[in-house]
Amino acid sequence: MAMRGRWLWTLAAAGLAVGLLVQAQTAADAVREGIDLCLRAVIPSLFPFFAVSSLLVSLGAADGAGRVLARPFRRLFRCGGAGCAALLLGLIGGYPVGARTAAALVRQGALTPQEGGRLLTFCNNAGPAFAVGVAGVTVFSSGRIGVYLYLIHVTAALAAGLLLCRRGSPSAAAPPPAPVRTGLAQQFLSAVTDAAAAMGRVCAFVVFFLVLLHLAETATGPWSAPAAGFMELTNGILRLTPDRRGFVTAAALLGWGGLSVHCQTAAVTAGSGIPMGRYLPAKAVQAALSAGLAWLAAPHLLP
């Protein structure tokens, strides 16, 4: 089975290589589009949160939150209270800030890898800037619609966490993390340089999946909004129509995040020991819950 899977991946890579040669101009245009997207939107919105989240974790801010919220957070999500830092930063900063903060907490010792895996089921989310600015204003010409999409998104994320974190045997709480031994200046430098490295990985996947999407469309014709969004979130959202169907689809796509975001998540959590087994099922559950909530709300929000 493993050999068969390797052959399938080899054939896929070979097919992609042929596509890059045959459609070199299309691929080059997609790369330029991806780089432009990173420079205009991805880096300005994510890089500051990457740096700040690293600095907050290294300074022990999550430990303070953990002491205050340990009991309710563990009771609701079976995860140490320090995880609330990943949830809050993920809700504000957007994909994949929550996942990166969860990985940082595990590496620091504030959470166990098992707690990090549970946290990942609900802490990695779209931010308000994307939900309101891109989905709401750009697609529906309404910031109010974007706010409702964001509220649905947050509700579905928390509901998915409550549903999925109750499963499985509980794990012991993480031991107190070792005291920070580096100075403030070194912590700041490490936070910024680590953020730059993570930002490079995120941008690489943004560009790659845009190339993949454009090459696929040269062979099959334009993809529908749900199909494009399944692979790359921004492209899918921007193809939606400003009606009830578009509203429900937007909610589902925001909850799912797209294959590009999932690869970004895997990249920023690599080496942390966080198990990824629950992540994709959780995003599927969140997408379904988001769509259901949006379907119920759509008649009251859109004509």
Side-chain angles (χ1 to χ4, degrees):
M1 183 65 69
M3 183 62 70
R4 183 180 179 183
R6 180 173 296 182
W7 273 108
L8 289 174
W9 277 106
T10 301
L11 289 174
L16 179 58
V18 171
L20 290 171
L21 291 173
V22 174
Q23 297 291 338
Q25 186 59 52
T26 299
D29 291 341
V31 169
R32 281 189 285 269
E33 180 184 339
I35 292 174
D36 182 61
L37 177 63
C38 289
L39 292 175
R40 286 187 298 104
V42 177
I43 294 175
S45 63
L46 288 185
F47 179 74
F49 283 99
F50 275 10
V52 168
S53 64
S54 291
L55 190 59
L56 286 173
V57 171
S58 65
L59 290 174
D63 301 335
R67 285 190 291 271
V68 175
L69 299 172
R71 180 172 294 179
F73 215 73
R74 183 167 295 281
R75 180 172 296 177
L76 291 172
F77 302 109
R78 297 171 62 203
C79 179
C84 69
L87 175 61
L88 292 176
L89 286 169
L91 289 174
I92 296 170
Y95 292 121
V97 173
R100 187 171 184 274
T101 308
L105 290 168
V106 172
R107 292 189 181 99
Q108 191 195 52
L111 299 175
T112 66
Q114 292 71 29
E115 288 177 322
R118 283 194 283 272
L119 183 61
L120 206 58
T121 63
F122 64 95
C123 78
N124 200 40
N125 295 292
F130 185 88
V132 177
V134 177
V137 175
T138 303
V139 177
F140 294 92
S141 301
S142 170
R144 180 179 65 90
I145 295 297
V147 170
Y148 282 116
L149 282 170
Y150 181 67
L151 293 176
I152 288 171
H153 183 67
V154 174
T155 302
L158 295 175
L162 289 172
L163 288 172
L164 295 174
C165 290
R166 311 300 300 177
R167 301 177 60 187
S169 57
S171 59
V180 177
R181 300 185 184 277
T182 56
L184 289 174
Q186 184 57 46
Q187 291 173 9
F188 171 73
L189 293 174
S190 296
V192 175
T193 53
D194 290 348
M199 198 72 258
R201 291 193 291 269
V202 168
C203 289
F205 283 111
V206 170
V207 173
F208 178 82
F209 275 92
L210 274 176
V211 171
L212 202 61
L213 178 60
H214 281 260
L215 288 178
E217 289 186 321
T218 60
T220 64
W223 285 17
S224 65
F230 181 85
M231 179 181 290
E232 205 285 313
L233 177 62
T234 304
N235 264 274
I237 292 292
L238 292 177
R239 299 180 187 202
L240 293 171
T241 53
D243 51 24
R244 293 185 185 181
R245 177 178 294 183
F247 182 76
V248 174
T249 305
L253 291 179
L254 287 170
W256 169 246
L259 296 182
S260 176
V261 165
H262 301 334
C263 288
Q264 295 167 28
T265 300
V268 298
T269 57
S272 66
I274 292 179
M276 298 290 292
R278 297 187 184 189
Y279 176 68
L280 286 180
K283 298 311 290 181
V285 169
Q286 186 179 346
L289 290 173
S290 297
L293 291 171
W295 181 78
L296 292 173
H300 307 286
L301 302 176
L302 290 140

